[in-house]
Amino acid sequence: MSAPNNCLAAVAVVIATLLMLLPRPALAQTDWLKKGQEMLGAATKSPAATTDTSQIAAGLKEALRVGSDTVVSQLGKTDGFNADPAIHIPLPKSFTTVQATLKPLGMSSLLDDLELKLNRAAEQATPKAKALFLSAIEGMTMDDVMGIFNGPQDAATRYFQQKMSPQLAEEMKPIVDQSLSQAGAVQAYDTVMGQYKTVPFVPDVKADLSGYVVEQGMNGIFHYLAQEEAAIRQNPAKRTTELLKTVFGSK
């Protein structure tokens, strides 16, 4: 073969080689771009990507409203506290001496009656607390909302306990005072203490029934609010609205 023919053959081999190689990077690039577009499309269609902060805020507040409604309905009725071992309100610890003094004298029924009335007062006061919780929910800032949304299962309950307990207690106290009076707890207390003081040499006992019932009542509400909050986060069946499904289904 002559030298010119050798050169032509060499050029042909180079061109053929380039033609074989050039489409492969182009094809790989096309596949990569296609894959990226598919991933981007999937991401933009996912609940997590479409759930913005305003939806999260609305969803969290709705969850807390749903939880509050459930708790209030459960506790704010006859035996809501009294028949529930988890939140039943016993007599104050300061009554230990009173109980020890009166029970041997056959006066246990007086103590039982007072204990029942404390629970009845909490049951009557619970529905009145609903508006206070709703107000607190609506007053949450976006920082509060995101901290709760990304927090532990009882983050909202902890928020209420830390931020709202003093205000809630202050606003609930007159309601509990009235409920205690209507339930006859004040009269029952006076009866118990009147009998107690007839026993010689017994120590003086004082109890803030109103403050005690407020504290115990709030503890009961928070106890079940925490359970409702965790259930809505974890259990799809508890997400009773489309907004709850969108927000908490994305987590």
Side-chain angles (χ1 to χ4, degrees):
M1 184 179 293
S2 64
N5 288 337
N6 288 338
C7 289
L8 289 173
V11 169
V13 170
V14 171
I15 292 173
T17 302
L18 289 174
L19 289 173
M20 292 175 64
L21 293 175
L22 282 174
R24 293 183 181 180
L27 180 61
Q29 185 182 39
T30 300
D31 287 345
W32 181 84
L33 288 173
K34 184 179 179 181
K35 186 67 174 177
Q37 289 171 345
E38 290 174 353
M39 293 175 65
L40 180 62
T44 56
K45 293 178 182 178
S46 69
T50 57
T51 304
D52 58 23
T53 54
S54 62
Q55 279 185 302
I56 291 174
L60 178 66
K61 290 181 178 181
E62 184 169 336
L64 293 176
R65 282 192 290 269
V66 170
S68 298
D69 286 344
T70 301
V71 170
V72 167
S73 298
Q74 177 181 337
L75 305 188
K77 62 183 180 181
T78 300
D79 282 339
F81 276 84
N82 187 58
D84 188 336
I87 60 171
H88 174 87
I89 302 176
L91 291 174
K93 290 183 179 180
S94 60
F95 267 54
T96 301
T97 303
V98 179
Q99 289 175 303
T101 302
L102 295 185
K103 280 189 175 182
L105 300 178
M107 299 181 186
S108 295
S109 61
L110 294 177
L111 297 166
D112 294 340
D113 183 54
L114 175 58
E115 185 169 332
L116 173 63
K117 285 178 167 55
L118 295 182
N119 284 272
R120 290 288 184 258
E123 292 159 5
Q124 291 178 17
T126 294
K128 305 280 184 70
K130 178 180 176 180
L132 302 178
F133 277 96
L134 293 179
S135 177
I137 291 167
E138 292 304 320
M140 287 179 173
T141 66
M142 188 58 70
D143 287 342
D144 294 332
V145 167
M146 296 310 297
I148 291 169
F149 182 74
N150 294 315
Q153 300 300 313
D154 62 346
T157 304
R158 293 184 185 184
Y159 172 85
F160 282 127
Q161 288 177 313
Q162 293 173 0
K163 302 289 186 180
M164 305 305 299
S165 288
Q167 179 184 351
L168 286 172
E170 182 179 350
E171 295 190 37
M172 285 178 65
K173 190 177 185 305
I175 300 172
V176 171
D177 283 340
Q178 182 179 7
S179 297
L180 285 172
S181 178
Q182 291 175 346
V186 175
Q187 294 87 336
Y189 172 77
D190 289 341
T191 300
V192 167
M193 296 311 297
Q195 291 295 327
Y196 173 71
K197 290 178 181 178
T198 63
V199 179
F201 310 116
V202 293
D204 190 25
V205 173
K206 293 182 180 180
D208 177 8
L209 294 184
S210 179
Y212 177 70
V213 171
V214 167
E215 180 182 4
Q216 295 296 312
M218 289 175 60
N219 286 344
I221 293 171
F222 288 141
H223 172 81
Y224 280 110
L225 186 62
Q227 290 192 7
E228 286 297 313
E229 179 187 356
I232 289 173
R233 290 178 187 265
Q234 298 172 351
N235 184 0
K238 278 286 187 177
R239 300 167 195 156
T240 55
T241 70
E242 289 303 318
L243 182 57
L244 293 181
K245 293 174 183 176
T246 298
V247 171
F248 290 94
S250 69
K251 293 199 75 178

